[in-house]
Amino acid sequence: MSTDGKIRCGWAQSSQLYRDYHDQEWGRPVHGDDALFERMCLEAFQSGLSWITILRKRPAFRAAFDGFAIDRVAEYTDADVERLLNDPGIVRNRSKIESCIGNAKVARKLDQSLDELLWSFAPPPRPRPPTLADVPATTPESIALAKELKRRGFRFVGPTTAYALMQATGMVDDHLADCWVAPRG
């Protein structure tokens, strides 16, 4: 239990930034192509790093990637890649930067909205997990989502990243059973 008397998921205890993200964003349904594209990119940038690193850099990411507007990012050139590689405010990983740009190009050409595609893999609601140990790293749905995204040409969205995306955007509710955050409706 934290100083405000609220019971939170264990991962949200270590910093105010984590608490705010947990309390206000994580696990709440997110819709809209650009909003989901941002989450997809940030989850890919997080791969191999701690989420707190991405949260701290999120304002700089948003500025550097034009608010993650798919149509803008899809038009990025080699000069933009170099600009991003020289931006100390973001994670400067060429593969992740290029995959974000490539993913914008793929998203722009989808025959349906990115929102519809991603949410089509959301499982039916299930009981909240009792402990952190009961939270999976992947699920059949995240494996299927990652496979479909890869088939369509998306990169850096494997089953674990796909599941983190599902958690972050409310496709699944992995707040612990005793967490104060109200279950999604």
Side-chain angles (χ1 to χ4, degrees):
M1 187 176 312
S2 63
T3 57
D4 63 6
K6 294 180 178 177
I7 297 172
R8 290 180 175 83
C9 302
W11 63 265
Q13 305 293 339
S14 64
S15 77
Q16 187 63 47
L17 190 57
Y18 265 157
R19 282 190 292 281
D20 291 347
Y21 176 69
H22 170 273
D23 292 359
Q24 299 164 22
E25 294 183 61
W26 190 75
R28 300 198 192 266
V30 173
H31 288 282
D33 288 358
D34 291 344
L36 287 164
F37 177 68
E38 174 186 344
R39 287 1 178 257
M40 178 187 286
C41 290
L42 293 178
E43 291 295 345
F45 274 104
Q46 185 272 327
S47 182
L49 303 170
S50 67
W51 184 242
I52 195 78
T53 299
I54 302 305
L55 283 178
R56 287 180 182 137
K57 292 178 175 282
R58 186 164 58 168
F61 270 112
R62 286 175 172 163
F65 281 92
D66 289 309
F68 290 97
I70 292 169
D71 287 336
R72 284 193 215 125
V73 176
E75 295 296 323
Y76 281 9
T77 65
D78 290 343
D80 291 296
V81 172
E82 292 308 312
R83 171 183 59 83
L84 293 164
L85 285 170
N86 288 301
D87 187 335
I90 68 168
V91 173
R92 296 178 288 181
N93 177 298
R94 181 179 293 275
S95 295
K96 292 176 181 181
I97 290 168
E98 289 176 347
S99 74
C100 183
I101 296 166
N103 288 349
K105 292 175 183 185
V106 173
R108 188 166 61 171
K109 293 180 182 177
L110 288 173
D111 57 357
Q112 67 186 121
S113 73
L114 182 62
D115 189 311
E116 290 172 316
L117 173 62
L118 296 177
W119 276 90
S120 72
F121 287 87
R126 62 178 189 249
R128 286 179 160 185
T131 70
L132 283 175
D134 297 306
V135 177
T138 64
T139 62
E141 294 86 3
S142 75
I143 293 167
L145 174 57
K147 184 176 179 180
E148 179 61 15
L149 291 172
K150 183 176 182 180
R151 184 188 74 76
R152 290 176 181 250
F154 287 93
R155 296 182 295 155
F156 256 100
V157 188
T160 302
T161 299
Y163 193 66
L165 176 66
M166 295 172 95
Q167 290 172 306
T169 59
M171 292 179 212
V172 296
D173 181 0
D174 276 345
H175 284 281
L176 299 184
D178 62 353
C179 180
W180 80 271
V181 174
R184 67 180 183 176

